[in-house]
Amino acid sequence: MTIKGEEREYNTQRTCGLWLLYIGVMIILSSLVGGDLLIQPFILGIGYFIGFFVIFILPYVNRKLAYGKNTKFQDTMDNLSIVLNVLLCTACGLIIGFNDLRTFWLSIFIAVGVHFFGFYFSQGKVMILLGVLTIVNGFVGLLLVSAPFIFFAIIDGCLKFLFGLKMLNMKRIVTVISENITS
């Protein structure tokens, strides 16, 4: 009798951690100077693209931080999660519009939280927790209309920063996801 275990490796957790840490800082900075826009879209947008290019496109960072490559399935799930995020954020703009920026930005936080669930397959359970906390923060912001928006933006940025810091410092994790017993 042999036990066959299927393993899942999360090779790019540290790269993703750096991204989350970086984007958390960008959210905090853009909310601190957001003024009437609540989050300064120019700072967030330019910062997003610079960070994406440096962390994910240039080969040096990922080569230095990753323990290996993702599987084709993990890459597919990551890409689907990114497409879902673009669709959800676009829907926020089309449905909510830009007249109520507080509702718009809090809905964006919720949409981003939802898209984190798809990264479970390449980053592990830590992304489920981050997704839940990000969604809860967005919903609480929608419910507590008297609380200043910046409070929820700082929480959102801090969540990403702290989870990013945790992931950046993670050791290689291999999880057994199923066991088959054969004779």
Side-chain angles (χ1 to χ4, degrees):
M1 176 165 42
T2 61
I3 298 177
K4 180 182 174 188
E6 184 180 332
E7 296 179 345
R8 178 173 295 141
E9 294 184 9
Y10 305 120
N11 291 319
T12 58
Q13 275 185 328
R14 295 187 324 152
T15 307
C16 183
L18 179 62
W19 170 252
L20 288 171
L21 193 146
Y22 173 81
I23 207 68
V25 169
M26 293 309 303
I27 290 169
I28 292 168
L29 288 176
S30 61
S31 68
L32 290 173
V33 298
D36 292 340
L37 298 173
L38 302 180
I39 288 181
Q40 177 45 253
F42 181 76
I43 291 173
L44 185 62
I46 296 297
Y48 181 93
F49 285 110
I50 289 170
F52 191 86
F53 181 75
V54 169
I55 295 170
F56 292 113
I57 305 299
L58 294 179
Y60 177 76
V61 174
N62 193 47
R63 189 172 40 225
K64 190 79 172 161
L65 293 176
Y67 292 117
K69 293 185 178 187
N70 282 341
T71 66
K72 203 153 199 60
F73 174 74
Q74 288 172 323
D75 285 341
T76 299
M77 292 307 295
D78 287 355
N79 291 335
L80 288 173
S81 295
I82 292 167
V83 168
L84 176 65
N85 192 43
V86 169
L87 292 173
L88 290 175
C89 290
T90 302
C92 288
L94 292 173
I95 295 168
I96 297 165
F98 303 104
N99 292 332
D100 184 357
L101 288 175
R102 178 188 173 94
T103 302
F104 170 75
W105 284 116
L106 291 168
S107 297
I108 293 290
F109 292 167
I110 293 167
V112 169
V114 168
H115 109 288
F116 284 145
F117 294 133
F119 288 99
Y120 158 77
F121 299 100
S122 65
Q123 307 304 321
K125 292 178 184 176
V126 68
M127 295 306 282
I128 300 294
L129 182 57
L130 176 59
V132 167
L133 292 174
T134 304
I135 291 168
V136 167
N137 179 55
F139 275 119
V140 170
L142 290 172
L143 295 174
L144 300 178
V145 293
S146 61
F149 170 81
I150 195 161
F151 177 73
F152 301 101
I154 299 290
I155 289 173
D156 185 80
C158 286
L159 283 170
K160 290 175 177 78
F161 182 89
L162 293 172
F163 274 77
L165 196 59
K166 176 181 176 44
M167 290 174 72
L168 187 60
N169 290 306
M170 285 182 145
K171 304 289 185 234
R172 187 173 195 164
I173 296 174
V174 178
T175 305
V176 176
I177 58 172
S178 68
E179 289 186 6
N180 298 322
I181 300 176
T182 60
S183 302

